[in-house]
Amino acid sequence: MKTYFLFLFALVISLGLKAQNFKYAFVTDTHVGSPTGEEDLRRTVADINELKDIDFIIITGDITEMGTNSELGLAKEILSGLKKPYHIMPGNHDTGWSESGGVRFIKEFGYDKFTFDHNGYRFIACASGPYVRMSDGHMPRDATVWLDSVLKATPKNMPIVFANHYPLDKSLDNWYEGTDRLKKYNIQYAICGHGHNNRPYKFEGIEATMGRSNLRAKDSIGGYNIVSMNGDSVFFQTKKPTQTILPVWRSIALKTFKDDNTKYARPDFTINEKYANTKELWIYHSNANVVNTPAYSANNVIFGNSLGLVEALNKKTGKKVWTFITKGAIYSSPIVVNNLVILGSGDGTIYALNEKTGKEVWRKETPNSVLGSPVVSGNNVYIGGSDNSFRALNIKTGKEVWVFNEIEGTIVDKPLIYQGKIIFGSWGRHLYALDINTGSLLWKWNNGQANRMFSPAMVTPVAYNGIVYIAAPDRYLTAIDANNGNTLWRNKEATVRESIGLSSDSSMIYGKTMQDEIVAYKTQSQDPGILWRYNAGFGYEHVPSMLIEKDGNVFFGTKNGVVYAIDPKKQSTTWAHKIDNSMINTVNVIDGKNLIVSTMDGKVVWLNTRN
């Protein structure tokens, strides 16, 4: 009798699944802020409003071109014209260059991930992207924690539709965080954007569909998809505004999911066996992304995460000592000075906290997010924000000493103090040099690129003997006269991108290339060419993790979660250690044997080596 009732229950579920007929619009990659993005989206909204038989709209990321506050506000204004409910998530264009660190997206739309039930189906969507730094696609740590809670509350037999901006493949450095979870449930199919084309996929056995961009591209009109859930199948059809819907181009059978054990190759950690003397003395996994370099004091390691939480860990044990919550994502690398922890937040505030207790000592509110990292000289702390301003504040009180408010674009990285100047770049194409005492502009430099994506924003400048060195996304190593901002030379032999460092004796600039190599150049006023190059074998690489030399080794991290120590004299690898499969931030080198390392996926690790 028990078997009979189980069979009857399964039959009811199956019949219910087939009976839930409905349609929704699937829109993606609207890129408001690009030349035709606004007009194409307005046409699509008007077209969807003419459709009487759809129940809702799902929009799978890259809503804007550059994630600016104005672009997000415009996108919200356009989408508010929809007559049916819509559900939306950010993509890499909304987060990777965001002037608010993702805060404004959440302010505009109320969330960056969502779940809802409709006619017996559970729809689940996560945010994804690189966050403020250049890196591979990444499903945020807070999203996977949230996904666990959603799935835990989902009946095993309930049909699920999953939405994401990126495909659930190696476009994401942690794709398996999604597929491993979803395959334990009754996943029906996934939808995504990012590739701008209609395309069928299968992600480790999960049927999936990529949707076309809403942009017109080379056509005269944009477009989107209508998704029809009919009986035992789901159908995808392209719809162009004002035109008749096109024939079905993709169909997927709706049935109880069975895992066929298909798997992409998982990340390989065997490098840790090769260099077994390098160990993780402790590891802490925050509940959100960590996209900054932790600071340390006599007793604590301190950092912030993308949910706005500042966390302090015991330096010896990695156990949590205190926390402080802000109202915005933190990408600012904190500093510890005079028993204070100072950092900026996406909520627009610069905070000074008691290093021992985490209690607020002072705060300085600004009109926009503060994503840049602070530096200290004398009695002042210097930090840039997203309000087109760079500030000097008194360390003890937080009072403004001076402000320079003529910055184009967002400041996101750590400035350089050199020869009475404070030098920094922004996502507005320029590198700036201000008088450190007055804040007056001494010079500004750009690489001649009109496209702000080539801005010298993410690299930390280094300097020696009157010359400032940077590497922007244009893949040149550039030498600039520190006195007047004139270009001395530019070298593109090695395609160094955003990751450089100065040798301990200041005789060399180190650069990390986009494929396997560490290179060195002499610090001089004429183009020296490449002094030497070493193939470290780290593969394709593009993350801004600076190179730090200490006690005879150069330390750096990669997009694949590996920390390297190389000997620049022998041009050999001293050791390497893989922590996870996400971006390594610039490491904090305590000495040649101990490092504090953080990863985009929220891991903070104390590494020790006996090499």
Side-chain angles (χ1 to χ4, degrees):
M1 182 63 70
K2 182 178 180 181
T3 302
Y4 171 76
F5 278 118
L6 288 174
F7 170 77
L8 185 62
F9 178 73
L11 181 62
V12 169
I13 291 295
S14 176
L15 290 173
L17 176 61
K18 294 180 180 180
Q20 308 303 310
N21 295 350
F22 61 94
K23 294 181 180 180
Y24 65 92
F26 167 27
V27 183
T28 190
D29 294 88
T30 58
H31 289 273
V32 171
S34 65
T36 68
E38 177 183 353
E39 183 180 5
D40 291 338
L41 183 55
R42 288 192 187 278
R43 286 178 175 179
T44 288
V45 167
D47 195 66
I48 290 174
N49 285 340
E50 293 298 314
L51 303 177
K52 307 303 180 187
D53 58 348
I54 67 162
D55 290 4
F56 55 86
I57 303 98
I58 292 180
I59 311 166
T60 59
D62 277 3
I63 312 306
T64 65
E65 181 66 6
M66 289 291 288
T68 65
N69 294 350
S70 59
E71 288 175 352
L72 286 165
L74 178 58
K76 175 65 179 298
E77 178 261 307
I78 297 168
L79 293 170
S80 295
L82 286 165
K83 295 178 181 178
K84 296 289 178 69
Y86 70 90
H87 308 273
I88 192 168
M89 74 198 75
N92 57 297
H93 276 255
D94 307 307
T95 58
W97 295 278
S98 168
E99 68 182 80
S100 69
V103 171
R104 190 56 176 260
F105 188 97
I106 296 172
K107 283 186 177 180
E108 292 288 358
F109 297 105
Y111 53 84
D112 64 355
K113 46 193 174 288
F114 61 79
T115 183
F116 66 93
D117 295 347
H118 189 80
N119 286 13
Y121 289 83
R122 178 154 292 174
F123 287 79
I124 304 172
C126 286
S128 61
Y131 284 77
V132 180
R133 300 293 191 270
M134 179 66 178
S135 72
D136 286 345
H138 184 78
M139 188 179 296
R141 166 69 174 160
D142 68 281
T144 59
V145 172
W146 171 84
L147 183 59
D148 282 336
S149 66
V150 171
L151 290 174
K152 186 177 180 180
T154 301
K156 288 283 186 176
N157 56 2
M158 187 174 192
I160 292 171
V161 177
F162 185 76
N164 200 60
H165 176 64
Y166 279 87
L168 285 174
D169 59 14
K170 293 184 180 180
S171 304
L172 291 167
D173 58 28
N174 61 343
W175 77 91
Y176 46 87
E177 300 273 16
T179 55
D180 284 355
R181 286 165 166 82
L182 293 169
K183 288 192 292 184
K184 296 176 182 178
Y185 290 80
N186 191 18
I187 177 69
Q188 298 298 293
Y189 64 91
I191 59 174
C192 69
H194 191 62
H196 285 218
N197 289 295
N198 286 333
R199 190 177 300 166
Y201 275 99
K202 201 167 188 177
F203 303 138
E204 295 192 341
I206 299 172
E207 294 287 352
T209 301
M210 175 184 285
R212 59 153 293 164
S213 168
N214 189 65
L215 295 174
R216 71 188 70 174
K218 296 180 181 180
D219 202 348
S220 60
I221 195 168
Y224 58 101
N225 275 276
I226 297 294
V227 185
S228 302
M229 307 282 283
N230 293 339
D232 58 3
S233 297
V234 56
F235 302 100
F236 293 81
Q237 296 171 271
T238 298
K239 178 73 170 71
K240 296 182 178 181
T242 73
Q243 296 184 9
T244 303
I245 192 169
L246 296 175
V248 171
W249 67 270
R250 167 76 159 140
S251 64
I252 300 171
L254 299 173
K255 56 188 178 182
T256 301
F257 178 77
K258 292 184 178 179
D259 187 358
D260 63 6
N261 294 314
T262 300
K263 285 189 175 183
Y264 308 135
R266 290 301 196 261
D268 184 0
F269 286 78
T270 55
I271 197 169
N272 295 351
E273 298 171 10
K274 183 178 180 180
Y275 300 102
N277 284 337
T278 300
K279 303 287 186 182
E280 298 168 4
L281 292 189
W282 54 256
I283 184 167
Y284 175 83
H285 206 172
S286 185
N287 278 342
N289 286 5
V290 175
V291 191
N292 54 77
T293 299
Y296 68 94
S297 63
N299 297 307
N300 296 329
V301 172
I302 307 108
F303 58 93
N305 72 22
S306 60
L307 291 181
L309 187 69
V310 185
E311 301 182 82
L313 311 178
N314 181 278
K315 199 163 69 170
K316 291 183 179 180
T317 66
K319 301 296 183 183
K320 192 181 296 185
V321 177
W322 56 256
T323 62
F324 178 86
I325 188 67
T326 75
K327 296 179 181 179
I330 296 171
Y331 297 96
S332 177
S333 298
I335 55 169
V336 178
V337 57
N338 297 350
N339 297 316
L340 296 176
V341 176
I342 303 175
L343 78 167
S345 169
D347 66 9
T349 305
I350 302 158
Y351 292 92
L353 310 177
N354 183 290
E355 181 273 324
K356 293 180 180 178
T357 65
K359 301 295 184 183
E360 183 180 309
V361 177
W362 57 256
R363 65 166 63 193
K364 170 64 179 177
E365 295 181 357
T366 77
N368 206 339
S369 295
V370 182
L371 308 181
S373 297
V375 292
V376 166
S377 178
N379 296 321
N380 296 336
V381 57
Y382 302 87
I383 188 168
S386 297
D387 62 339
N388 309 114
S389 298
F390 192 93
R391 291 175 171 82
L393 307 177
N394 181 274
I395 291 172
K396 290 183 179 179
T397 65
K399 290 184 178 179
E400 198 167 84
V401 178
W402 55 254
V403 59
F404 178 77
N405 55 12
E406 299 174 21
I407 306 297
E408 180 185 340
T410 302
I411 300 167
V412 292
D413 212 357
K414 183 179 177 181
L416 167 71
I417 295 174
Y418 183 66
Q419 293 185 341
K421 304 173 184 69
I422 186 92
I423 302 168
F424 57 91
S426 77
W427 280 119
R429 302 180 296 118
H430 292 95
L431 187 78
Y432 296 84
L434 308 181
D435 184 297
I436 197 167
N437 296 312
T438 66
S440 60
L441 178 67
L442 299 176
W443 52 259
K444 65 179 181 178
W445 174 96
N446 72 66
N447 55 20
Q449 291 278 357
N451 189 336
R452 55 187 164 173
M453 291 185 183
F454 292 104
S455 300
M458 203 56 70
V459 67
T460 299
V462 297
Y464 174 67
N465 200 24
I467 302 173
V468 177
Y469 299 89
I470 64 164
D474 62 358
R475 306 177 191 182
Y476 283 87
L477 179 67
T478 301
I480 301 166
D481 190 320
N483 294 314
N484 53 32
N486 291 336
T487 302
L488 297 175
W489 53 264
R490 282 161 61 75
N491 185 295
K492 203 178 183 180
E493 288 179 72
T495 63
V496 173
R497 175 176 178 150
E498 297 180 304
S499 295
I500 62 172
L502 186 65
S503 64
S504 295
D505 63 3
S506 300
S507 66
M508 289 181 290
I509 299 295
Y510 301 121
K512 182 175 57 168
T513 75
M514 294 185 69
Q515 188 67 50
D516 287 317
E517 290 185 321
I518 299 300
V519 293
Y521 306 78
K522 285 185 177 180
T523 50
Q524 62 185 54
S525 58
Q526 292 83 36
D527 186 348
I530 296 173
L531 177 63
W532 56 256
R533 54 202 314 161
Y534 167 61
N535 189 329
F538 46 71
Y540 175 66
E541 174 62 21
H542 55 220
V543 304
S545 176
M546 302 304 121
L547 288 81
I548 312 295
E549 183 174 4
K550 203 157 196 176
D551 295 344
N553 280 301
V554 178
F555 303 91
F556 62 93
T558 71
K559 73 182 184 69
N560 299 317
V562 182
V563 181
Y564 283 85
I566 68 162
D567 185 326
K569 291 183 179 179
K570 297 179 180 178
Q571 290 145 49
S572 62
T573 299
T574 306
W575 58 262
H577 186 86
K578 186 174 178 66
I579 294 172
D580 60 25
N581 206 48
S582 69
M583 179 191 83
I584 300 285
N585 301 300
T586 297
V587 297
N588 197 333
V589 184
I590 298 171
D591 54 42
K593 301 292 184 182
N594 295 280
L595 289 80
I596 302 169
V597 182
S598 60
T599 76
M600 177 174 280
D601 200 53
K603 290 182 180 175
V604 178
V605 178
W606 189 290
L607 275 185
N608 172 268
T609 181
R610 296 193 301 275
N611 284 290

